[in-house]
């Protein structure tokens, strides 16, 4: 009788065919998330269709590879043409600008890969980056032979290494040589270095944006605010720091960060040797991690006056949800990588408004 009474009592609380309130709540939340995800994908598809005339997207791997191969062959032909020009002494003065045009074409290939990597298989991304590396080596070799007095390199208007190309070159190298390249980039660019317990503020203006890259290096327990647009950002050896940065026109390279929070917007973000760090991102292509653990991702939540215009000007105004599509280059299995996850809704930060951060507080 007791068993029957207990069974009847349990059935009265959970009638057959119904779910308990907690399960119903979870089920409803799951349905809402799926509906929101579907709506977001529809909006992204509509936005890409509307802008396809001005900025064509290569939504199929075959179409991308065709465009990439054609551009690669064009670069090879231009390098050969420069070598042919060197035979005629009268053409020597035109060699440097022609080689610079080739460098610009290779930089365009870099951007092509970055802007379309959100749908490309990891293998195709790696193969494309390797092909670009081969083109750069061919250009460097041609330059060394044709302009021996001054070694050619990818440079911007202020004769600094093009940060977008430099990030790619560092990524493509492995071992001690790549470590030296990272250290050289960190050492040579302007930035904040060797600080502890500081509040560091920098407001980038148009003239500074044109000069190139910026570095955050060897910082401990610091808050860093970077307002305005910049071309590239290097983040190296940060511990227990909070970084809030405006849009980056090119790439962000992150090395050795631990117990940090980074709020970043860029076309391409590469993360190496990060642990226990949260990333709030607006990114055009998929974030790439390598040798990372316990890293988490969420959407960009930064605000200050004018940031929406800056994001649009940098081509980052559209929400791609790529912050949730992370490529782990050390995890090639079909199942989810254990090295990264999404930040749970209940732990997400609200909008971080840095409008009141004053320039006069800048660390010089």
């Amino acid at each position: 009788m007791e068993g029957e009474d207990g069974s009847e009592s349990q059935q009265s609380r959970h009638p057959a065919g119904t779910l308990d309130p907690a399960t119903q709540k979870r089920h409803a939340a799951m349905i809402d998330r799926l509906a929101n995800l579907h709506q977001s994908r529809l909006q992204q598809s509509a936005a890409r269709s509307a802008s396809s005339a001005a900025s064509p997207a290569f939504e199929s791997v075959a179409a991308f590879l065709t465009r990439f191969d054609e551009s690669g062959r064009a670069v090879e032909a231009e390098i050969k043409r420069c070598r042919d020009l060197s035979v005629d002494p009268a053409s020597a003065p035109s060699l440097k600008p022609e080689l610079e045009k080739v460098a610009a074409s290779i930089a365009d290939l870099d951007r092509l890969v970055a802007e379309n990597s959100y749908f490309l298989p990891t293998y195709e991304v790696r193969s494309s980056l390797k092909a670009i590396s081969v083109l750069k080596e061919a250009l460097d070799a041609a330059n060394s032979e044709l302009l021996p007095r001054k070694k050619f390199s990818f440079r911007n208007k202020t004769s600094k290494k093009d940060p977008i190309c430099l990030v790619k070159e560092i990524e493509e190298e492995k071992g001690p040589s790549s470590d030296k390249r990272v250290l050289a980039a960190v050492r040579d660019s302007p930035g904040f270095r060797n600080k502890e317990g500081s509040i560091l503020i920098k407001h980038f203006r148009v003239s500074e944006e044109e000069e190139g890259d910026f570095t955050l290096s060897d910082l401990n327990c610091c808050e860093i605010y970077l307002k305005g647009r910049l071309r590239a950002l290097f983040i190296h050896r940060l511990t227990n720091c909070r970084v809030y940065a405006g849009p980056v026109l090119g790439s962000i390279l992150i090395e050795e960060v631990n117990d940090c929070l980074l709020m970043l917007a860029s076309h391409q973000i590469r993360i190496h040797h990060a642990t226990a760090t949260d990333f709030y991102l607006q990114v055009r292509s998929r974030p790439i991690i390598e040798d990372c653990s316990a890293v988490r991702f969420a959407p960009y939540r930064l605000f200050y006056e004018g940031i929406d215009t800056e994001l649009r000007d940098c081509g980052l105004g559209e929400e791609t949800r790529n912050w949730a599509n992370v490529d782990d280059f050390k995890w090639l299995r079909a199942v989810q990588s254990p090295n990264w996850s999404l930040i749970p809704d209940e732990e997400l930060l609200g909008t971080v408004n840095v409008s009141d951060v004053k320039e006069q507080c800048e660390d010089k």
Side-chain angles (χ1 to χ4, degrees):
M1 290 295 293
E2 289 184 5
E4 293 177 358
D5 291 342
S7 176
E8 290 176 0
S9 175
Q10 185 176 9
Q11 288 180 1
S12 67
R13 291 195 300 267
H14 303 291
T18 65
L19 299 173
D20 63 88
T23 302
Q24 288 180 345
K25 185 176 180 180
R26 288 195 297 270
H27 181 71
M30 180 183 69
I31 295 299
D32 287 342
R33 285 196 297 271
L34 290 174
N36 291 336
L37 180 59
H38 178 66
Q39 183 63 29
S40 175
R41 287 173 174 170
L42 289 177
Q43 292 173 351
Q44 292 173 32
S45 177
R48 284 194 294 267
S49 298
S51 62
S52 60
S55 179
F58 303 94
E59 289 295 344
S60 77
V61 175
F64 167 82
L65 292 177
T66 298
R67 170 68 182 275
F68 184 87
D69 290 343
E70 290 175 352
S71 299
R73 286 195 296 270
V75 169
E76 292 173 346
E78 285 300 306
I79 294 175
K80 182 179 183 301
R81 190 174 70 84
C82 288
R83 289 184 176 278
D84 294 339
L85 284 174
S86 66
V87 177
D88 182 6
S91 301
S94 66
L95 283 176
K96 183 178 179 181
E98 291 298 323
L99 289 170
E100 289 176 344
K101 290 180 182 178
V102 176
S105 297
I106 295 177
D108 288 341
L109 277 176
D110 273 330
R111 282 186 285 273
L112 183 68
V113 175
E115 291 173 0
N116 292 278
S117 62
Y118 67 92
F119 70 85
L120 291 174
T122 300
Y123 171 78
E124 298 297 353
V125 173
R126 287 183 170 180
S127 297
S128 299
L129 293 178
K130 180 61 178 176
I132 291 172
S133 179
V134 171
L135 292 175
K136 289 175 181 176
E137 291 173 0
L139 179 58
D140 285 340
N143 177 77
S144 297
E145 297 172 18
L146 306 181
L147 301 175
R149 293 185 179 181
K150 185 177 180 181
K151 186 177 179 180
F152 181 83
S153 62
F154 294 86
R155 296 179 182 272
N156 62 18
K157 294 180 181 179
T158 58
S159 298
K160 294 182 181 179
K161 190 84 170 180
D162 185 330
I164 299 175
C165 296
L166 180 56
V167 169
K168 291 283 190 179
E169 291 174 13
I170 291 170
E171 169 63 25
E172 289 156 8
E173 295 180 12
K174 298 295 179 184
S177 62
S178 65
D179 293 339
K180 292 178 181 177
R181 298 291 296 281
V182 172
L183 292 174
V186 168
R187 182 183 64 248
D188 295 341
S189 66
F192 294 132
R193 298 173 174 82
N194 303 306
K195 301 287 184 181
E196 183 170 0
S198 300
I199 297 177
L200 309 171
I201 303 168
K202 176 70 175 175
H203 190 175
F204 293 89
R205 295 168 179 81
V206 174
S207 59
E208 292 171 320
E209 168 202 323
E210 293 296 331
E211 292 180 5
D213 48 347
F214 196 78
T215 290
L216 305 176
S217 177
D218 297 288
L219 305 178
N220 184 31
C221 298
C222 293
E223 290 186 16
I224 303 101
Y225 300 90
L226 306 178
K227 298 171 67 176
R229 299 179 299 177
L230 59 157
R231 286 203 58 188
L233 180 62
F234 297 98
I235 299 176
H236 189 55
R237 290 202 296 259
L238 270 59
T239 301
N240 193 24
C241 291
R242 304 293 178 264
V243 179
Y244 306 98
V248 176
L249 285 163
S251 300
I252 298 175
L253 178 63
I254 301 169
E255 293 268 358
E256 299 181 44
V257 296
N258 178 53
D259 193 23
C260 293
L261 184 152
L262 292 88
M263 197 166 288
L264 309 167
S266 178
H267 277 263
Q268 187 174 38
I269 297 176
R270 299 183 176 212
I271 305 164
H272 297 168
H273 303 287
T275 57
T277 294
D278 287 349
F279 296 89
Y280 286 77
L281 306 180
Q282 177 87 331
V283 59
R284 188 78 174 94
S285 58
R286 293 177 180 177
I288 294 172
I289 66 171
E290 192 168 4
D291 297 310
C292 296
S293 63
V295 293
R296 306 192 303 174
F297 295 84
Y300 192 62
R301 295 291 178 89
L302 189 65
F303 176 80
Y304 56 81
E305 186 176 354
I307 190 172
D308 290 339
T309 300
E310 292 173 355
L311 287 167
R312 286 195 299 270
D313 290 346
C314 292
L316 296 168
E318 178 186 347
E319 171 56 76
T320 64
R321 287 189 59 87
N322 278 328
W323 52 268
N325 298 319
V326 179
D327 284 335
D328 186 348
F329 275 14
K330 286 299 180 70
W331 185 263
L332 302 181
R333 302 179 188 177
V335 298
Q336 165 71 32
S337 166
N339 299 318
W340 69 273
S341 63
L342 302 183
I343 300 177
D345 290 346
E346 61 271 18
E347 297 182 32
L348 286 173
L349 293 179
T351 299
V352 178
N353 190 338
V354 298
S355 299
D356 293 335
V357 174
K358 304 299 183 182
E359 289 186 64
Q360 56 263 35
C361 298
E362 288 185 11
D363 184 282
K364 302 297 184 183

